[in-house]
Amino acid sequence: MKIFPSFSKPQRWLPALAVTVLVAGCGSGADSPAVTPDSTTPGAIGASPVNLGTAGNFAILAKSGISTVPASAVTGDMGVSPITATAITGFSLTLDSTGTFSTSTQVVGKVYAANYASPTPANLTAAVLDMQAAYSDIVGRTPNYTELGTGNVGGMTLAPAVYKWSTGVSIPTDVTLKGGPTDVWIFQIAGGITQASGTRVLLSGGALPKNIFWQTAGVVALDTTAHMEGIVLSKTAITLATGATVNGRLLAQTAVTLNTSTVQP
């Protein structure tokens, strides 16, 4: 049986790291082979970044709506398409004199909707297509590891790599992503993400949110005061409970719901 994937440069494996990563294709039982990635070597088993295209211009981009109750704080632009501005609720929008965008005291940036003046509709259509293309790109990546922790990654330290689950992922306790500023993490999740109240996704070694990609087919749910790092691309909804925070971007193919939440790239 071939334990390790083939790489173009020598790899080092350090048993001292806390996380145990199951080899793709192996079970989760006590006799299953396991490896521990060396996250002190930048790019040791990392992937190339995902191209977000113009979707990367948005802190929040959704197809069916963005809402907040009560006020939230968003740094960066927001956009909805093909739904209209009526699906952006709780932000007390003020339409600009150009008719191409709105502003809100809760948003450090501009707010765009599909029914605003040209060129906004065309720009939003392009951004949504780019969001969907990025999602498909992630789905098509070859995983380094599958079914890690049978979906429970709480307490783990994860090196840069492509991880895949056929179920949902739960974060009941803090999880750490350890690597350098050019390393990339890709998470392919057939279900959703459930992050418990007060838990945090932590970065170590210079890792950056812009290089972390969470792709989910199901709902992403961050409980009260939970903290997420990275770019979330969900085929369905993304919901943040009271006081939840995100360093990254929220790109949903349905709706994004905030509740006294903070989102910044």
Side-chain angles (χ1 to χ4, degrees):
M1 175 181 177
K2 186 176 182 180
I3 300 294
F4 305 118
S6 175
F7 297 100
S8 60
K9 58 182 180 181
Q11 305 301 306
R12 297 184 291 119
W13 304 90
L14 301 181
L17 287 179
V19 63
T20 297
V21 181
L22 299 180
V23 178
C26 297
S28 58
D31 296 328
S32 301
V35 296
T36 307
D38 173 12
S39 59
T40 65
T41 304
I45 51 174
S48 59
V50 177
N51 182 5
L52 297 178
T54 57
N57 296 332
F58 294 88
I60 303 177
L61 179 63
K63 294 177 68 174
S64 63
I66 304 172
S67 62
T68 182
V69 177
S72 292
V74 178
T75 300
D77 293 345
M78 300 196 321
V80 293
S81 179
I83 200 72
T84 66
T86 57
I88 304 175
T89 60
F91 287 93
S92 301
L93 298 179
T94 300
L95 186 64
D96 183 72
S97 60
T98 64
T100 59
F101 66 90
S102 287
T103 58
S104 167
T105 57
Q106 301 174 55
V107 181
V108 181
K110 298 177 180 178
V111 182
Y112 297 93
N115 61 319
Y116 287 174
S118 180
T120 296
N123 290 343
L124 284 171
T125 296
V128 167
L129 290 174
D130 286 345
M131 171 177 68
Q132 294 173 170
Y135 182 95
S136 297
D137 174 16
I138 295 174
V139 170
R141 300 290 183 101
T142 301
N144 298 112
Y145 307 109
T146 61
E147 314 304 341
L148 172 64
T150 62
N152 183 338
V153 298
M156 295 184 178
T157 296
L158 303 182
V162 180
Y163 299 86
K164 182 175 183 177
W165 291 270
S166 60
T167 58
V169 165
S170 64
I171 307 175
T173 57
D174 293 355
V175 58
T176 300
L177 309 185
K178 182 179 180 181
T182 61
D183 286 331
V184 175
W185 289 257
I186 291 178
F187 302 100
Q188 303 167 327
I189 305 169
I193 298 174
T194 302
Q195 186 171 350
S197 175
T199 61
R200 300 177 64 83
V201 175
L202 302 171
L203 304 187
S204 174
L208 297 175
K210 69 176 184 179
N211 294 327
I212 301 164
F213 302 89
W214 304 85
Q215 170 263 315
T216 73
V219 173
V220 176
L222 277 60
D223 207 343
T224 55
T225 68
H227 177 73
M228 169 64 73
E229 295 274 352
I231 298 161
V232 181
L233 297 100
S234 176
K235 196 168 187 178
T236 51
I238 302 172
T239 63
L240 277 63
T242 305
T245 59
V246 175
N247 286 343
R249 303 181 189 278
L250 303 179
L251 309 178
Q253 294 185 41
T254 60
V256 173
T257 301
L258 309 178
N259 189 335
T260 323
S261 308
T262 300
V263 179
Q264 58 182 13

